[in-house]
Amino acid sequence: MGEKFKKRKGTAKDHDFAVLAREVVEKAIGEKLDGLPLEESPKNTKLVSRARKGGKVGGKRRAKSLTADQRSEIARIAADARWKK
């Protein structure tokens, strides 16, 4: 009697097996069943471009700060990982 139940976030639609099954099939085929494309959540293009810019610069700056021996060791480890596959 004293048990408290947490309310599940979402709508009644989330509980319907048919709706869930339809969503799974649509994700698997990459489009809605009526032929329309799936709607992806839009990414903030400003943030994406900022992150990409930082990623491009970061590797070069890191390489400048490493010694030749350190870069060689990192490259050897990377090559071993590639050949291990």
Side-chain angles (χ1 to χ4, degrees), residues 38-64:
L38 288 177
E39 297 172 7
E40 296 292 325
S41 61
K43 293 183 179 180
N44 187 337
T45 55
K46 208 178 236 186
L47 293 177
V48 169
S49 65
R50 242 178 108 189
R52 182 174 163 86
K53 183 179 176 184
K56 286 182 174 180
V57 172
K60 292 177 185 176
R61 285 196 183 154
R62 179 174 182 235
K64 281 184 181 178

Side-chain angles (χ1 to χ4, degrees), residues 3-61:
E3 295 178 10
K4 293 184 180 181
F5 295 99
K6 291 184 178 180
K7 288 185 179 181
R8 181 174 176 204
K9 292 184 179 181
T11 63
K13 177 184 111 169
D14 295 336
H15 300 297
D16 187 8
F17 177 76
V19 173
L20 183 60
R22 181 184 176 122
E23 289 174 359
V24 169
V25 170
E26 288 175 344
K27 283 184 181 179
I29 63 173
E31 62 182 23
K32 294 197 177 234
L33 291 178
D34 55 4
L36 297 174
L38 288 177
E39 297 172 7
E40 296 292 325
S41 61
K43 293 183 179 180
N44 187 337
T45 55
K46 208 178 236 186
L47 293 177
V48 169
S49 65
R50 242 178 108 189
R52 182 174 163 86
K53 183 179 176 184
K56 286 182 174 180
V57 172
K60 292 177 185 176
R61 285 196 183 154

